[in-house]
Amino acid sequence: MSVQQELLDLGDLFNFSDLSTFTQNIPVEWVASALGLSSQATIRRRRLPADQVLWLVLGMALFRDEPVHEVARRLNICAQGLASDHLLARSGVTEARKRLGSDPVEWLFRKTGSQWGGERYNGDTWQDLQVFAVDGALLRTPDNQELRDHFGSGNTGTDRQTPFPMLRLVALMNVRSHLLLDAQLSPYRRSEMRLADEFLQQIPDHSVTLFDKGFWSANLLLSLSGAGINRHWLIPERKGVVSEEVARYGKHDRLLRMKVSQQARKQNPNLPRHWEVRAVSYEVQGKLKTVMTSLPVETYSAKMIAKLYQERWEIELGFRDIKSSMQQNAVTLRSKKIDLIYQEVWGLLLAYNVIRREASLAAVAFGRTPSDIRFKPACQYIAVQLIVMAAANPISATGRRLSELRAGVGGLFLDHRPRPSRPRTVKISKTRFPVNRKAAPLK
């Protein structure tokens, strides 16, 4: 049976064009709680009520190539009976976003992360441990004095700063489902490590978290493993770290003891004077790489740990999905006010989680894993779904529309067939002049 036919047979199990698909993901109660955080709540009947503006922010993330007022028009976002184009001014959309603010969108994102990030799916664990990753990324904002004063930017070789202000994003991701459990946003100058400290409590027990080498910190790593049950970590070796070998488990598997710096103990007096970590080395393209971990040698072999750390790149793929697939390679955010910048990015992360959750549910329905779903087609598919829902007439051609939408999911699965091996060759560039194939060889 084809994948398309299986989709058609799902029936009520996975109704893609029904609004309940989204209300199941983001319940009405969550939206009401989020809107209660708006600093400018009003009982006035407006053309763009707060709950509609919340969905507008979500739509902005899915339609990056469209102006904001066009997104509102396409999604039919306005009060009932006020959908005429001449009643929806561009300035009205901006003012509605200002009234909403960033707090409700941030709250909704965090709610989705805490509810969905730790969900279990088929094949989403490693040796009965959930796998998470922490990393950071930079987002560029428009260049005006207000944004530059708030966000700041990097220095160059001269006295000038980089051309655009930068916003820093640090995220905690479920590596197997690619869902974001939590994230922190800040101006450029704030440290990634300090931002990561703020969501360590979100990491579930019975898990292993993969870090980039920039997060090397005795305080961070010991706090992670000591604050829960069976919580482990994995991080590349930091150059210049002074250590002594305590035990050797194999040729490339050792137990090291290191001194905790006075600075770290001053920051957290509960830290010990020394700490022990396991160092596992492995070869990549002829070079020896070393990762440090809290995973015990009795249960996890060096080969297993070396293979596991390769999954840290999954969070890099998640950032690529956000910047490339959702932002359509637009390197600069579209908002021009500080609070609207935060609102836009929280909306981007919220939309990303909605797409990943939809993809995970689709994968489970077919007995596949969430990582088998291609993100870009899923993003485009859900964007179309939003437009269909906005313009849908419940009594007109519903069955045909459902069939078409369900059949489209068949293109979302990755093809894991091995690619044929071909030797690399240099292709001759095209030319409008005839080629003399009998020419003498060069000497």
Side-chain angles (χ1 to χ4, degrees), residues 7 106 116 170 250 264 266 276-277 286 295 306 324-325 366 400 414:
L7 280 161
E106 177 184 354
W116 306 342
V170 176
K266 184 178 180 180
E276 294 182 351
V277 301
L295 291 166
S324 178
S325 299
F366 288 98
R400 179 173 56 83
L414 288 167

Side-chain angles (χ1 to χ4, degrees), residues 124-131 206-208 230 232 295 300:
D124 69 340
T125 59
W126 178 83
Q127 303 297 316
D128 294 327
L129 298 178
Q130 285 188 288
V131 186
H206 307 290
S207 64
V208 55
N230 201 24
H232 298 284
L295 291 166
Y300 309 99

